[in-house]
């Protein structure tokens, strides 16, 4: 895909503006654990399948 699209994500790329408190960056397993804990406490519903 990278060679064909000249972009690692391919296709159309857009921008979605989110409020800062809802913008969580996950870079490490610890970040993921923290976000999961927050989600459990706030009844967060993910639209992404479990990985």
């Amino acid at each position: 895909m990278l060679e064909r699209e000249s972009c690692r994500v391919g296709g159309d790329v857009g921008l979605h503006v989110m409020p800062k408190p809802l913008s969580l960056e996950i870079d490490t397993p610890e970040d993921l654990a923290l976000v999961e804990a927050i989600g459990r406490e706030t009844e967060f519903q993910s639209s992404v399948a479990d990985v």
Side-chain angles (χ1 to χ4, degrees), residues 18-40:
M18 294 180 61
K20 184 69 175 171
L22 298 177
S23 302
L24 303 169
E25 193 166 320
I26 302 173
D27 295 319
T28 66
E30 293 80 13
D31 292 343
L32 179 58
L34 178 61
V35 171
E36 287 176 332
I38 292 169
R40 283 191 295 277

Side-chain angles (χ1 to χ4, degrees), residues 32-51:
L32 179 58
L34 178 61
V35 171
E36 287 176 332
I38 292 169
R40 283 191 295 277
E41 293 299 317
T42 61
E43 298 182 25
F44 172 77
Q45 296 297 315
S46 173
S47 61
V48 180
D50 289 338
V51 220

Side-chain angles (χ1 to χ4, degrees), residues 6-26:
S6 297
C7 178
R8 67 178 177 81
V9 293
D12 294 330
V13 177
L15 174 69
H16 178 77
V17 179
M18 294 180 61
K20 184 69 175 171
L22 298 177
S23 302
L24 303 169
E25 193 166 320
I26 302 173

